[in-house]
Structures are given as structure tokens and as C-alpha cells.
Amino acid sequence: MRLNDCVKPYTQVGGVPASIFQVQKRSCIPPDIQRPCQTYLTKERRRGSPVPPQQGSKSGGVGGLPSPPHTASPSRPLRPSRYVPVSAATAFLVGSTTLFFCFTCPWLTEQFSVAVPIYNGVIFLFVLANFCMATFMDPGIFPRADEDEDKEDDFRAPLYKTVEIRGIQVRMKWCSTCRFYRPPRCSHCSVCDNCVEDFDHHCPWVNNCIGRRNYRYFFLFLLSLTVHIMGVFGFGLLYILYHTQQLDRVHSAVTMAVMCVAGLFFIPVAGLTGFHMVLVARGRTTNEQVTGKFRGGVNPFTNGCWKNVSHVLCSSQAPRYLGRKRKLHSVVVQPPFLRPQLTDTQLAAKVLDNGIHGDLHRSKSSLEMMESQSCDAEPAPPPKPELRYPGLSRGHHGQHTEESSLLNKAPPTPTMYKYRPTYSSPGKNHTALTHAYANQMSRGDSLKESSSLLQSSQQPGFRSEPSLDGREAPGERGGLGGGGDRPGGGGDEIQMKLFSRTNGQPRSSLSSSGSTPSSPSHPISMSTRPGQAYPSPGNTQSPAHKPGGGVKKVTGVGGTTYEISV
Amino acid sequence: MAETHSLQDMRQQAAIAAKVFIQRDYTSGTVCHFQTKFPSELENRIDKQQFEETVRTLNNLYAEAEKLGGSSYLEGCLACLTAYTIFLCMETHYEKVLKKIAKFIQEQNDKIYAPRGLLLTDPIERGLRVVEVTIFEDRSLGR
């Protein structure tokens, strides 16, 4: 059983389940001891291998294109067993209703009014329309991510990423098939082999997933089917009550048969309708209800009963992601390129920089490193050579941009490899620490390096120092202060203060790192911090706002405490 | 404005140096909202303000698309009454706004990003999960 199965996916901020002790990586075991039974944890990466085309049958919405340019699932072998429930449902629905119209309605029309068949006809049309939409509409399938979107190595990337939604930590799992971290409420359907947005469930009666785009139709189908069954049963009963003396006639027999079918289906259909009415009112999906995600927790996706209902019924039809006309980029991008003007502070930074530290960006990771201490007991592998641009993949892209002319004076020692800067949490919440943490967690990076960084950070205003790892001075990124605004350079001390002020939670991001757990074996920061974080082992720090002074204490592994002035 | 590229044009296009992916910001739920945080890779390529303005405008457009207003409600009612056949001839509100967004991105690329060696990709092509910013190699001398 996977570790993560023990954990409730939605937790309140501040209440980190103690069972998460270790970040589970996409490929959490070294290749030399990889066992087949654990391969489900490995992120599949097949660079260069062609991605097979998606199943075409469900990829189009209304008026969809015949050949979707985006790929989703490989073409699966035809499985006739999949079509049995939907065929049966269609047969019962259409067959019974046709019999009702042919045998029961004529007499009712004569006896009462023409409104009877019209009413039943309208309801039946509504049922059919919603049934067709639920069956044939793309539920909100995400196209597979391109190769270049995922720059992370198998052994570095965590299996889960945590985001905070309205104060509640929500986990996003890495989908190895689709190659992205599943957005909240998204789930991968094993039947369709696709990730579906706002996944509700896979319905065998319509042979389709129910997701964001077609949930409304599914819900209306259930509602209208309930009404239709009640109508058919009711009018059939009326017919029978008037024909008690002629029950041996064909018409009566057929009516009774239709009534039986209607009565039989009424109980499960009405039950399901009631269930979904409750789900809609509470703003939950079937998947969430059945997996017990909100048991004891709070649903971050609800907006109140009325808004939930109106969102399901009244929102504009969500767009499909597959089968869209891909617009050709008609823009030709050619050098020479414009560059932004350096501000005075940036120029000052470059002047003070003695060339050893070079990259202004790298100080961000330096700050991150000193903030977060890995709890990994394993010895750190040697740090990878620093990339000139954090966002660039290792080595493939070879050439440095000309901006790195300063950076081309390579630092004497390799520096920390940066982890996925673009997956950082938004504005107010710092990202640097998260990155650093993830970096550490996934690589078990050297703490020696961190400690040297910490030392350099203790001198605010000191821009560069000949430290071993060539790290730039503290505060450049204001990683302590938060990932918010990040001017390219600037006085570090000033900058750190700026960040503290501009950061919506000036202390919170620092506090979880500053207010340290007593044991050095625990990481300082993490999932309790608001914003994006990775599940941290046993850290019960609340992200809120520790009233700190101007100095933060950071405890490294080994018990050494460092002070960082902010 | 569709252009067909000749082979020569393609060769003239600068090489791709890197790609930055602006992720979604889920702090307010599943509404489509992208992070306005300025990625460090773009620091020496474009003004922070400009970039954040672009993302903010995008976010506003998506908010408009997902708005639960009178128009979307009427659209739903009409669709119901016509047994959804109206979708064959009419464009939904969301699609209309997506067209606006595509136009906006095209315009931003033409005016702001392409001259700086960057290219924004419409997030709808990625399932509204990321905004892809392609950074092109700058081989020009100096700096």
C-alpha cells in the first residue's frame, strides 16, 4: 500500500497529517533496485517516442472536428462489453417509450386530452437530448502534455504537489500517462485512459466519463428520466384502472409490461437522482464523495448551495480541449531583440558583483537553500553545475543567451540545480522556499552548501562574497520574504525588507522556516506554509503569522542555528 | 491573419532557447486564473510590469468567460428549449471569449513579445493548464 493512500487529500492549513513522513517521488526508488511491483510510482518518460493518437469517438463535442490534433489516449482495442450497458439502456428507454406511445397514448388522447402525448413527448425528447449529450460529449478531457512541458527528471520529481485552495491543502498527483500534475478535481479514468476535468465518474450506462463539460447534461438526464418514468407509470396506471375488465387485451398487456419496466427502473434512477441532487447542492463530485475526501474535512470547492446549483445549471458551456483548430503562429521571431532597461539598482548590483557570483537568479536558490533544510538522511549527491538560466534544461539548449555575458564568467564551483521555478506558488506566497525544499527533498542536496549560504546571508547589505560555492549575497531574491515581486536586483537588505512588506504575509512564509522544529531531522518549512508546498514530514507548524522580530532563526541539520536578519 | 510559412521563413525563425510555463493559480478554486508571478527566466527579456499586465488581462478575460451571468443563463435556457440543437449554429459565450483571448494573445505577441524574442502560446492548447512562454535564442552580439 502506498504511503500516500493513508493520507486524506484535503487537510486544513496547519494540520499536516503525521503519516506523511516522506515525499514520495515519481520514481522513488533508484534504478538499480527497481522492482516491477513498484513501477506504478515511476513517472513514465518516453522521450522521442511518438505519442499515439487519441481515441476519436469521444473527443468531439457538439460539432467537433473529425480529427483532433491533440493526442490523449492511444487507440484501444474494441471491447464490445463496454457497449452492453449503454445498448441495454437505450433499448429499454426507446423501446418502452415507443410501446407506451403506441398502445397507451391513443386511448388517453381520446379520453382526456391531446396534452397527454404532447407532455410525454416533450419530456421524452428532453430525456433523449440529455442522454445523447451525456453520451457523446467530451467530458473535459485534457490533452496529453508535450514532452517539453515536463523538464523534471524521474528521480527528482515528487509524486504529489500541494496547492492551497481557500486555505485548504489539496494534493495534485502526477499523472504518468498524461504527463502533468492533475489539476484539482481532475482524475484519470482508467476506462477511457484520459484525465478528465472535474471528474465525476465513468458512467457505463452512457459509456462515457462524466466531467466538467457534460455533468449538467447527465444531471438533467437523470432528472428528466425520473419525471419520464413517473409519467409513463402514472399514465399507464390510469389506463389500467379504466380497463380492469379488458386486461386480456394486447394493449393492456403491453401497458402492464411497460409499467413493470418503469417501476423496476424507477427505484435506482430516482435514488441516483436524489444522490446527485445532494452532490450538486454540496458542490461535490461523485469521485470526491465516494473516496471520502471531505470526511471530517472542509470542501474547498463549494460556494454555497445556490451558487453550486447555478454553476452546474447556468454556467456557459465549457470549451473542449481536444479537437481544436490549432492556430499557426503567424509571428516570425527574429533577433535583434529588445531588452528591458536595467534599473539603477540592477546596475548597482552588477557593479558590485565581482563576477564570481554572476547570476542574479542564482541567489534565489541560495536563499532557498538556506531556508529549507532537508530531512533526508541520505548523503547529498554532489550538486549539479548551475544552469545559467534556471528555467533552461540541462545542457540541451546549450547556448547561453547573450544576457549571460556576465554569467559566462563561470563561478569557480558548481551551484545548486534549480527545481522547476515555474511551478511556484503565486504572488504573495514565496516560491523560493518551496523550490528549495523540493530541490532538497528530491535530491537530498548538500547541507554544507546550505550552511555556507546561510553564513553569507547573515550579512545584509553584503552583495557578494568569495564563498566556496560562489553564491550571491542574501536577499537578492528575497526568498525569505516571499516569491512576490522580484526585481532583477536591488539592494539586498532593502530588498528583503521590501519583500517582507509587500508580501501579503510578511511573516508567514518566514515563520514556518524561522520557527523551527526542535528536532534537526525534520525539515524546517513546508506544507504548512501557505501556497504551494510539498508534503513535509511531520511539521506541524502553522503557517500563520508568527510575530517575529527582525531576525529569523533557521535550524539546520546537525542542530546548528543560523540567524537571518530581515 | 493566417500566413503560410515558406521554408525560408522557417529558417529565419530564431531557435528556441527555453520554455517557461506559467502555472495556474488555484487559490480561489478551480476558476481559470494564472499566476501573475514573474518568472525569473524572463527577467532580462521583458519588463515585469508588462508581463504581469498581460497575465492579469488574460485572467480577467477568463473570469469573464466563466461568469455566471444573465447571458450564460439565457444561453442555457435556449439550448434546453431547442434540445441543444442551437449549439450547431450558435457559438457559446465561452467560445466567444476564447476567440477574444486568442486575438489578444496574437496581438500581444505581435506587439510586445516577438520583438523581445518571446512567444506566448494560447493556454487553451494546453487544456488551460499552463501559459507557455517560448524564449528564443538571441544570437545578436553585444550585451
Side-chain angles (χ1 to χ4, degrees):
Chain A
M1 181 170 84
R2 278 184 281 169
L3 206 62
N4 294 282
D5 292 338
C6 313
V7 176
K8 264 189 293 195
Y10 299 154
T11 55
Q12 294 277 10
V13 164
V16 178
S19 55
I20 302 179
F21 190 77
Q22 175 184 338
V23 172
Q24 194 154 18
K25 302 181 185 52
R26 290 187 220 160
S27 170
C28 67
I29 31 181
D32 54 328
I33 56 168
Q34 238 173 18
R35 292 183 291 272
C37 61
Q38 290 200 343
T39 50
Y40 62 80
L41 291 170
T42 307
K43 188 182 86 179
E44 287 176 84
R45 285 177 66 95
R46 301 189 196 105
R47 277 197 185 278
S49 66
V51 185
Q54 183 179 20
Q55 223 173 10
S57 58
K58 297 281 183 277
S59 60
V62 177
L65 293 177
S67 54
H70 275 290
T71 57
S73 63
S75 45
R76 297 163 77 76
L78 196 69
R79 268 187 277 155
S81 60
R82 276 181 68 178
Y83 300 95
V84 169
V86 64
S87 313
T90 315
F92 273 114
L93 178 67
V94 175
S96 307
T97 311
T98 312
L99 289 173
F100 171 78
F101 277 117
C102 292
F103 290 87
T104 317
C105 272
W107 180 85
L108 288 166
T109 315
E110 292 165 28
Q111 188 72 16
F112 298 104
S113 136
V114 77
V116 170
I118 289 174
Y119 165 78
N120 283 294
V122 167
I123 297 286
F124 180 58
L125 198 66
F126 199 59
V127 171
L128 271 186
N130 285 300
F131 180 71
C132 290
M133 293 296 266
T135 306
F136 298 114
M137 178 166 265
D138 178 334
I141 295 171
F142 284 111
R144 301 272 200 264
D146 288 349
E147 288 280 353
D148 52 14
E149 193 179 325
D150 170 39
K151 297 172 284 204
E152 210 37 59
D153 242 344
D154 286 340
F155 305 107
R156 226 184 297 272
L159 190 60
Y160 290 95
K161 265 172 45 166
T162 314
V163 287
E164 190 189 302
I165 300 179
R166 298 187 191 165
I168 293 164
Q169 299 289 324
V170 170
R171 275 192 330 192
M172 292 177 16
K173 190 175 177 183
W174 170 260
C175 184
S176 52
T177 315
C178 306
R179 295 204 192 103
F180 52 75
Y181 285 98
R182 291 181 198 143
R185 307 196 107 176
C186 163
S187 191
H188 192 94
C189 175
S190 50
V191 181
C192 308
D193 196 27
N194 288 314
C195 266
V196 174
E197 189 175 10
D198 289 1
F199 179 79
D200 191 84
H201 67 286
H202 181 91
C203 183
W205 305 105
V206 299
N207 191 29
N208 196 12
C209 279
I210 308 299
R212 179 184 177 189
R213 294 188 77 231
N214 63 354
Y215 182 78
R216 169 193 342 198
Y217 307 114
F218 176 75
F219 181 66
L220 289 174
F221 165 65
L222 285 179
L223 273 178
S224 54
L225 186 63
T226 311
V227 171
H228 179 61
I229 288 175
M230 290 195 300
V232 165
F233 189 88
F235 285 113
L237 187 66
L238 196 64
Y239 180 94
I240 293 296
L241 289 175
Y242 274 80
H243 289 86
T244 44
Q245 308 304 321
Q246 300 147 38
L247 287 178
D248 52 339
R249 282 182 64 209
V250 174
H251 292 252
S252 306
V254 168
T255 305
M256 280 199 289
V258 168
M259 277 175 66
C260 282
V261 169
L264 214 66
F265 278 103
F266 177 73
I267 295 163
V269 170
L272 196 60
T273 308
F275 174 68
H276 277 275
M277 282 169 82
V278 170
L279 286 184
V280 167
R282 293 170 112 179
R284 298 184 187 182
T285 63
T286 305
N287 184 262
E288 288 163 353
Q289 179 69 32
V290 160
T291 54
K293 287 205 168 105
F294 305 125
R295 223 184 295 130
V298 178
N299 182 0
F301 305 111
T302 183
N303 296 310
C305 179
W306 174 247
K307 281 215 173 112
N308 292 338
V309 173
S310 54
H311 173 72
V312 168
L313 297 179
C314 307
S315 60
S316 182
Q317 175 66 58
R320 68 175 183 281
Y321 301 129
L322 302 172
R324 297 193 75 89
K325 267 182 251 172
R326 201 160 198 182
K327 197 162 183 245
L328 288 167
H329 287 301
S330 53
V331 178
V332 177
V333 181
Q334 285 179 28
F337 298 135
L338 300 174
R339 295 287 183 172
Q341 294 293 328
L342 286 179
T343 64
D344 287 341
T345 45
Q346 285 170 321
L347 285 167
K350 285 195 188 265
V351 164
L352 282 172
D353 195 322
N354 62 7
I356 290 175
H357 305 289
D359 190 0
L360 299 173
H361 308 279
R362 280 181 278 139
S363 61
K364 170 163 77 166
S365 19
S366 75
L367 219 57
E368 300 154 19
M369 297 325 303
M370 76 192 155
E371 276 296 316
S372 57
Q373 306 291 335
S374 173
C375 73
D376 285 352
E378 62 196 47
K384 274 193 156 193
E386 168 69 61
L387 304 171
R388 294 293 168 264
Y389 281 99
L392 292 179
S393 310
R394 38 266 173 230
H396 305 290
H397 304 283
Q399 300 177 359
H400 310 306
T401 66
E402 33 118 28
E403 193 276 345
S404 60
S405 56
L406 196 66
L407 319 173
N408 279 335
K409 302 166 192 157
T413 56
T415 46
M416 208 61 72
Y417 174 71
K418 191 131 176 54
Y419 171 81
R420 274 204 196 279
T422 53
Y423 274 124
S424 47
S425 59
K428 294 190 172 173
N429 303 309
H430 71 292
T431 57
L433 289 161
T434 310
H435 295 160
Y437 177 79
N439 215 344
Q440 289 240 335
M441 291 306 290
S442 52
R443 295 192 69 245
D445 282 317
S446 165
L447 293 160
K448 263 192 290 184
E449 191 153 352
S450 314
S451 61
S452 68
L453 300 174
L454 275 165
Q455 281 162 7
S456 70
S457 80
Q458 286 168 26
Q459 300 153 49
F462 189 80
R463 194 153 301 284
S464 59
E465 67 176 36
S467 60
L468 279 172
D469 56 351
R471 278 275 156 220
E472 192 158 24
E476 277 292 86
R477 296 277 57 119
L480 292 172
D485 308 312
R486 266 205 297 266
D492 40 334
E493 184 171 25
I494 300 162
Q495 206 171 24
M496 283 170 73
K497 283 181 183 160
L498 267 176
F499 289 155
S500 308
R501 281 190 217 115
T502 55
N503 188 351
Q505 292 158 323
R507 307 261 163 66
S508 60
S509 53
L510 291 167
S511 67
S512 359
S513 53
S515 48
T516 62
S518 48
S519 160
S521 64
H522 288 284
I524 289 183
S525 49
M526 279 13 198
S527 67
T528 54
R529 179 176 292 121
Q532 205 175 20
Y534 296 87
S536 88
N539 186 356
T540 52
Q541 292 292 337
S542 111
H545 324 280
K546 180 189 171 182
V551 170
K552 297 294 166 201
K553 291 194 180 184
V554 173
T555 302
V557 170
T560 327
T561 310
Y562 303 98
E563 291 187 358
I564 305 160
S565 28
V566 289
Chain B
M1 168 169 96
E3 273 177 41
T4 50
H5 290 284
S6 65
L7 276 172
Q8 286 165 326
D9 286 342
M10 298 301 278
R11 259 180 260 130
Q12 280 168 20
Q13 189 95 325
I16 295 173
K19 286 191 179 184
V20 182
F21 295 96
I22 313 297
Q23 296 294 321
R24 280 270 292 270
D25 175 5
Y26 292 109
T27 47
S28 1
T30 47
V31 286
C32 187
H33 189 87
F34 290 97
Q35 295 176 8
T36 48
K37 188 187 71 69
F38 188 58
S40 51
E41 296 86 337
L42 300 178
E43 252 159 41
N44 55 330
R45 292 288 207 143
I46 191 165
D47 287 329
K48 187 166 106 80
Q49 257 65 42
Q50 201 133 53
F51 176 80
E52 286 183 357
E53 190 53 46
T54 306
V55 180
R56 236 174 260 129
T57 313
L58 266 182
N59 287 336
N60 290 336
L61 285 168
Y62 283 115
E64 185 197 326
E66 295 181 353
K67 199 172 64 126
L68 293 177
S71 62
S72 62
Y73 177 70
L74 280 172
E75 193 182 275
C77 283
L78 196 65
C80 249
L81 294 171
T82 61
Y84 309 114
T85 51
I86 196 87
F87 288 138
L88 296 168
C89 27
M90 194 184 81
E91 208 177 42
T92 67
H93 171 70
Y94 209 117
E95 288 288 342
K96 285 193 191 119
V97 179
L98 283 180
K99 277 215 171 116
K100 240 205 294 186
I101 289 169
K103 212 168 109 208
F104 168 72
I105 288 178
Q106 173 80 12
E107 180 201 339
Q108 289 281 294
N109 276 335
D110 285 336
K111 291 201 192 131
I112 298 170
Y113 288 86
R116 288 167 172 77
L118 301 170
L119 205 66
L120 291 178
T121 305
D122 198 333
I124 196 74
E125 293 178 19
R126 297 262 188 263
L128 291 183
R129 290 182 300 105
V130 287
V131 178
E132 181 187 320
V133 184
T134 314
I135 304 173
F136 287 91
E137 232 172 47
D138 195 349
R139 292 198 206 100
S140 61
L141 297 172
R143 231 335 196 85

